[in-house]
Amino acid sequence: MNVEKFNYDNQIVKLFLIATIVWGIVGLLVGVIIATQLYIPELNLGLSFTTFGRLRPLHTNAAIFAFVGNAIYTGVYYSLQRITKARMFSDVLSKINFWGWQLIIVLAAVTLVTGITTSKEYAELEWPIDILIALVWVVFGVNMIGTLVKRREKHIYVAAWFYISTFVTVAVLHIGNSIELPVTFLKSYSVYAGVQDALVQWWYGHNAVAFFLTTPFLGLMYYFLPKAANRPIFSYKLSILHFWTLIFIYIWAGPHHLLYSAVPNWAQSLGTVFSIMLWMPSWGGMLNGLLTLRGAWDRVRDNPVLKFFVIGVTAYGMSTFEGPMLSLKNVNALAHFTDWILAHVHVGTLGWNGFMTFGMLYWLVPKLWKTDLYSKKLANVHFWIGTLGMVVWVIPMWWSGITQSLMWKEFTPLGLLKYPNFLETVLQIVPMYIMRSIGGLLYLTGILIASYNLFKTMGKGSFTAEEAAEAAPRGPVTEKLQYGMIHRYLESKAILFTVLALVAILIGGLVEIIPTYLVKSNIPTIASVKPYTPLELEGRDIYISNACNSCHSQLVRPFRSEVERYGEYSKAGEFVYDHPFLWGSKRTGPDLHRIGKKYSNMWHYLHMENPRSMSPGSLMPPYPWLLENKLDDSNLKAKISAMRTLGVPYEEGYEEVAHAEMAQQAETIVNDLLDNGIVVEPDKEIVALIAYLQRLGTDIKAEVAENK
Amino acid sequence: MKFSNYLSSIENVSIYPVITLILFFAVFVGAVIWIFTRDKEYISKLENIPLENDNFINNTENENESN
């Protein structure tokens, strides 16, 4: 018999594995810091770089793309070689994949803390890094598909399907959502505006959860769970069924992030319906994982790897039940913009992604280093402290989310808001914030224990970079298409399979996205809505750079309680010049869409200098640097011209007078401040920011006045 | 203006939900049919891929098939 000898590349697995542990610690540490900053804002040490708005995207990016991302690569690079009985397609591509990804992470960390951001959640990185991400991701895909093409194993195991759909979909999502017009090397504007931008962003945002945090981990589950339990998956048929239904349905569910927003109703309903349908395939996956252990639960008791997997898969089941529930409009009305959403997300990330990763690491390290785990006891300690951390994290956030939302909505018998001061509802939930940070700290302690245990294991074992293996080559496909073997034929063709998976997700994507293009021309024009002035445009960029949208929404929903609290609800036509949209997803502070003209310029100045001077007890960090920093308006002309290219109706040649107009508007604000005893130079950032805040949501007031 | 007005102003918008329904059901039915027409042996071969020895040939079934 013809036998080929080859080596598995374990070196690349080792690199990704170590990166997973290191970035896991970093990402979780930043998480604990920002959780603590929410009740001790002084922990930003008075620096712009370490302020909540900047660190929050750093935390999410580090957790998702650095920790979970490297965990995905670790698992894929290990398992794909084994299920295909082949070395990775190209060692060079593997190395580019690894070092390219680490470079992206470092660039992300540097740019996010310095305020270089697009503001779009989980897609904050600026365009040069976006291009780099696309290139490295394609390298990963080519390497993976190349391996499948040259595989020795005749069949493609289901895990690889999940990997391929991950690659294809994330590529489409990333490119689709990152289409932006560069203004300078580190500044760009989204080509989409307002409602359209929101739909594209959440088509991306939701599917990033689906295809970065879910499908690759289902693939890993289908490989590592049977491996660790030493028995095949409960039902292979179920795995196929839920694979196709999952990727087909997931792609439609994005608009559930925009319920009660200015997005058209039909898109909202589409999102809700598909979200509810998603429940079934998700639970198909969960049950398939858990039932694999039927009759082997005794092994779970003394095997830390299986323990982690059981909690991981259970957390997946919990969050995929909670998700459809949250996409019901009446539940969403209560939960959106509150801590409940964070609780939901963290059941998924801490439970599903975190615990699946830890289980995989505890299985892989002894295997790769050919030894036993250094301490099973420590792994059990990690398991319990991690589980406890999760519980202490999630339950207070459910509690605080519901408490705060009910307070926002409560009226007195006389028909007035019971808690008209937003701050009151924040101070009520501070104890929950404290609990949450303790939960995070416990979880962080868990990963520190894990890293000690794993590095000790590595120390006592011996690592083989090149692991010898042999397998028979894959002969030509001899079977003809005789009796309904079409899928079997397709499944043996990796590239064709990739194309079909692409078609499946594109159909969903296109049907969801195309109408939003059509919507553009159908958004009722509100005559009084005008483009931002040059000073307001610069102020808006300061708002973006300081990531104010991390804590403040700009979207008043059509509820009596919100109209009462903030003013007229937000209309689609008000956002037509918003490149990018800044609706936000969380109200740690109040909504700002109707903030314009609500307070005086002086109020904003003093509030930015020290929020507590205006709102005693406020948990917003001070922004004294805005009062000191000189506004960098050197790119103003380029910004105006870029906006015009995107369809904002600035007249030709407006660039030439923009600086003069800006100075004039700044002068008005400075004079007003001077009248109130505040001396500030007109070229400071604060002046531009005040101009922007005072403009927010006011155009429509002019319309109302005109109609009267 | 009501949001439902966007809906009516998109030409033939009612076709989208129909396309959605047909596509989804076609995929779902296709997958179900495929699954229930597979023979046991084939499925068991597939589900055992991760459990095979990664390093040495020990699977005689594989051998027969490649011949």
Side-chain angles (χ1 to χ4, degrees):
Chain A
M1 190 186 69
N2 187 5
V3 172
E4 290 179 355
K5 288 192 187 303
F6 62 98
N7 290 324
Y8 292 125
D9 181 3
N10 282 350
Q11 182 61 25
I12 190 71
V13 182
K14 177 184 169 182
L15 287 173
F16 277 121
L17 189 147
I18 290 170
T20 305
I21 300 173
V22 172
W23 292 123
I25 294 172
V26 173
L28 294 171
L29 179 65
V30 178
V32 173
I33 291 172
I34 59 173
T36 315
Q37 281 187 356
L38 277 175
Y39 57 93
I40 313 177
E42 292 78 11
L43 275 183
N44 70 356
L45 310 173
L47 299 170
S48 62
F49 314 109
T50 44
T51 295
F52 184 89
R54 300 257 176 98
L55 288 189
R56 192 258 179 187
L58 181 69
H59 164 63
T60 52
N61 278 279
I64 299 172
F65 299 109
F67 172 52
V68 173
N70 276 303
I72 293 169
Y73 293 131
T74 306
V76 169
Y77 274 90
Y78 182 86
S79 62
L80 190 67
Q81 298 188 74
R82 270 79 186 174
I83 57 177
T84 56
K85 301 245 172 7
R87 190 185 177 86
M88 287 308 292
F89 173 62
S90 156
D91 286 4
V92 176
L93 292 185
S94 301
K95 287 202 178 78
I96 295 175
N97 187 178
F98 177 76
W99 291 108
W101 199 255
Q102 312 315 313
L103 175 68
I104 290 164
I105 294 167
V106 172
L107 291 176
V110 173
T111 54
L112 289 174
V113 297
T114 48
I116 297 163
T117 170
T118 65
S119 86
K120 294 176 91 170
E121 274 181 75
Y122 322 122
E124 289 92 348
L125 306 179
E126 265 300 351
W127 67 274
I129 309 176
D130 278 342
I131 293 173
L132 191 59
I133 294 172
L135 292 176
V136 173
W137 191 253
V138 168
V139 163
F140 169 57
V142 169
N143 208 8
M144 196 159 61
I145 294 167
T147 310
L148 284 163
V149 169
K150 67 161 210 177
R151 73 187 187 278
R152 294 186 179 80
E153 170 62 52
K154 187 170 166 192
H155 304 289
I156 299 180
Y157 182 63
V158 69
W161 299 22
F162 282 94
Y163 301 157
I164 292 176
S165 69
T166 299
F167 160 64
V168 170
T169 318
V170 171
V172 172
L173 293 167
H174 171 68
I175 294 169
N177 189 42
S178 303
I179 299 178
E180 50 221 353
L181 184 68
V183 179
T184 65
F185 183 62
L186 290 171
K187 175 76 192 165
S188 66
Y189 291 123
S190 171
V191 298
Y192 317 103
V195 169
Q196 246 192 312
D197 198 35
L199 270 168
V200 174
Q201 158 62 24
W202 286 110
W203 165 75
Y204 163 86
H206 183 72
N207 289 301
V209 174
F211 289 91
F212 205 84
L213 301 178
T214 306
T215 53
F217 272 75
L218 285 168
L220 299 182
M221 177 188 87
Y222 278 125
Y223 181 79
F224 289 99
L225 187 58
K227 267 297 203 205
N230 198 26
R231 42 170 48 203
I233 197 73
F234 168 67
S235 165
Y236 196 84
K237 290 180 175 181
L238 180 56
S239 76
I240 294 162
L241 187 64
H242 95 94
F243 171 79
W244 282 108
T245 35
L246 195 75
I247 69 163
F248 218 90
I249 297 176
Y250 237 128
I251 205 83
W252 305 74
H256 71 209
H257 291 257
L258 300 166
L259 300 179
Y260 290 111
S261 71
V263 157
N265 256 330
W266 65 264
Q268 299 186 22
S269 304
L270 189 74
T272 299
V273 170
F274 275 88
S275 304
I276 293 165
M277 284 159 69
L278 253 184
W279 181 18
M280 288 301 127
S282 301
W283 274 33
M286 171 196 70
L287 292 172
N288 215 0
L290 289 181
L291 289 173
T292 300
L293 296 168
R294 75 200 182 289
W297 288 94
D298 53 313
R299 254 185 275 164
V300 177
R301 212 173 303 144
D302 56 17
N303 184 343
V305 173
L306 290 179
K307 274 188 201 171
F308 276 101
F309 283 161
V310 166
I311 292 291
V313 175
T314 308
Y316 174 64
M318 281 169 66
S319 63
T320 52
F321 166 71
E322 197 182 18
M325 186 171 68
L326 285 170
S327 62
L328 295 172
K329 281 188 105 169
N330 49 353
V331 182
N332 195 273
L334 182 72
H336 196 55
F337 292 135
T338 75
D339 290 322
W340 187 348
I341 305 301
L342 280 77
H344 167 59
V345 172
H346 281 77
V347 171
T349 45
L350 298 177
W352 166 239
N353 299 115
F355 270 39
M356 292 306 284
T357 301
F358 297 138
M360 181 179 84
L361 295 179
Y362 283 123
W363 185 84
L364 262 181
V365 170
K367 189 101 182 160
L368 288 172
W369 272 265
K370 294 198 179 65
T371 180
D372 294 325
L373 191 62
Y374 170 71
S375 165
K376 206 161 120 180
K377 205 170 166 187
L378 279 181
N380 280 324
V381 171
H382 174 203
F383 172 78
W384 285 110
I385 206 169
T387 308
L388 184 68
M390 237 183 322
V391 171
V392 177
W393 203 110
V394 170
I395 291 177
M397 288 297 100
W398 277 328
W399 193 333
S400 85
I402 294 169
T403 304
Q404 197 181 21
S405 190
L406 292 176
M407 288 176 82
W408 289 344
K409 288 171 187 293
E410 193 168 344
F411 281 92
T412 63
L414 289 174
L416 298 169
L417 283 173
K418 185 157 183 205
Y419 304 98
N421 185 358
F422 188 92
L423 188 56
E424 243 182 305
T425 72
V426 178
L427 295 178
Q428 182 72 29
I429 58 174
V430 165
M432 303 299 151
Y433 281 171
I434 296 172
M435 299 266 285
R436 181 252 304 264
S437 63
I438 294 169
L441 194 62
L442 288 172
Y443 196 91
L444 174 68
T445 310
I447 194 176
L448 290 173
I449 294 171
S451 59
Y452 173 77
N453 199 359
L454 292 171
F455 285 117
K456 276 284 185 191
T457 310
M458 293 176 195
K460 81 186 180 92
S462 72
F463 178 76
T464 321
E466 299 285 325
E467 185 183 326
E470 57 182 44
R474 175 165 56 106
V477 179
T478 49
E479 291 160 293
K480 294 277 177 285
L481 285 174
Q482 286 165 345
Y483 35 88
M485 290 198 301
I486 295 168
H487 192 102
R488 194 192 283 194
Y489 171 77
L490 290 179
E491 170 237 59
S492 68
K493 303 272 179 214
I495 292 175
L496 193 57
F497 181 85
T498 308
V499 172
L500 285 177
L502 177 66
V503 169
I505 64 110
L506 275 184
I507 290 171
L510 289 179
V511 178
E512 186 187 318
I513 295 297
I514 287 177
T516 75
Y517 283 95
L518 299 174
V519 166
K520 189 187 178 188
S521 53
N522 289 298
I523 287 176
T525 333
I526 303 175
S528 59
V529 173
K530 298 279 190 300
Y532 294 105
T533 67
L535 189 65
E536 289 157 7
L537 193 63
E538 291 289 359
R540 192 170 199 268
D541 284 339
I542 292 167
Y543 186 97
I544 291 173
S545 167
N546 284 282
C548 304
N549 54 304
S550 284
C551 293
H552 293 280
S553 57
Q554 285 189 16
L555 185 86
V556 182
R557 293 178 293 174
F559 301 146
R560 178 176 159 227
S561 60
E562 298 210 353
V563 172
E564 186 73 19
R565 183 181 299 277
Y566 303 114
E568 187 62 26
Y569 68 87
S570 305
K571 318 285 191 296
E574 292 184 81
F575 302 103
V576 287
Y577 304 129
D578 279 17
H579 296 271
F581 82 118
L582 289 172
W583 293 358
S585 64
K586 173 71 174 65
R587 279 183 191 150
T588 303
D591 189 275
L592 297 182
H593 190 212
R594 300 286 175 215
I595 195 77
K597 305 272 159 53
K598 205 168 175 178
Y599 301 105
S600 65
N601 293 336
M602 179 181 75
W603 187 94
H604 282 296
Y605 183 93
L606 295 174
H607 185 257
M608 284 298 164
E609 186 179 34
N610 180 13
R612 291 183 185 182
S613 66
M614 294 289 104
S615 320
S618 169
L619 295 176
M620 177 169 146
Y623 285 80
W625 52 88
L626 295 176
L627 280 54
E628 307 291 329
N629 291 353
K630 195 171 170 299
L631 177 70
D632 174 17
D633 61 356
S634 54
N635 299 315
L636 182 62
K637 285 183 181 181
K639 285 179 179 178
I640 301 259
S641 133
M643 283 293 182
R644 187 188 300 113
T645 311
L646 296 175
V648 179
Y650 290 117
E651 286 164 29
E652 283 300 327
Y654 186 65
E655 294 93 323
E656 305 310 320
V657 296
H659 276 284
E661 265 196 30
M662 188 166 91
Q664 208 181 350
Q665 192 184 2
E667 207 56 45
T668 322
I669 294 172
V670 168
N671 287 339
D672 175 65
L673 286 171
L674 192 62
D675 289 345
N676 289 290
I678 293 168
V679 182
V680 61
E681 284 155 46
D683 59 354
K684 298 293 186 212
E685 288 187 338
I686 185 74
V687 178
L689 185 64
I690 290 176
Y692 172 63
L693 291 174
Q694 294 291 30
R695 171 69 182 276
L696 268 177
T698 54
D699 284 3
I700 204 161
K701 290 180 187 165
E703 171 108 329
V704 174
E706 266 170 38
N707 290 349
K708 271 182 185 166
Chain B
M1 193 189 246
K2 278 188 178 171
F3 292 127
S4 54
N5 291 350
Y6 304 137
L7 190 65
S8 49
S9 54
I10 297 171
E11 255 181 81
N12 298 328
V13 73
S14 58
I15 197 84
Y16 289 110
V18 178
I19 295 175
T20 310
L21 196 69
I22 293 173
L23 279 176
F24 174 72
F25 261 88
V27 172
F28 185 79
V29 169
V32 170
I33 291 174
W34 182 80
I35 287 163
F36 285 100
T37 51
R38 289 319 89 192
D39 53 71
K40 254 191 183 158
E41 198 192 328
Y42 170 64
I43 291 288
S44 116
K45 209 184 295 166
L46 277 169
E47 67 188 11
N48 279 301
I49 289 176
L51 300 177
E52 284 168 16
N53 189 320
D54 294 331
N55 304 78
F56 303 101
I57 293 179
N58 63 344
N59 192 333
T60 46
E61 267 180 75
N62 245 2
E63 224 178 291
N64 296 337
E65 220 176 58
S66 55
N67 290 334

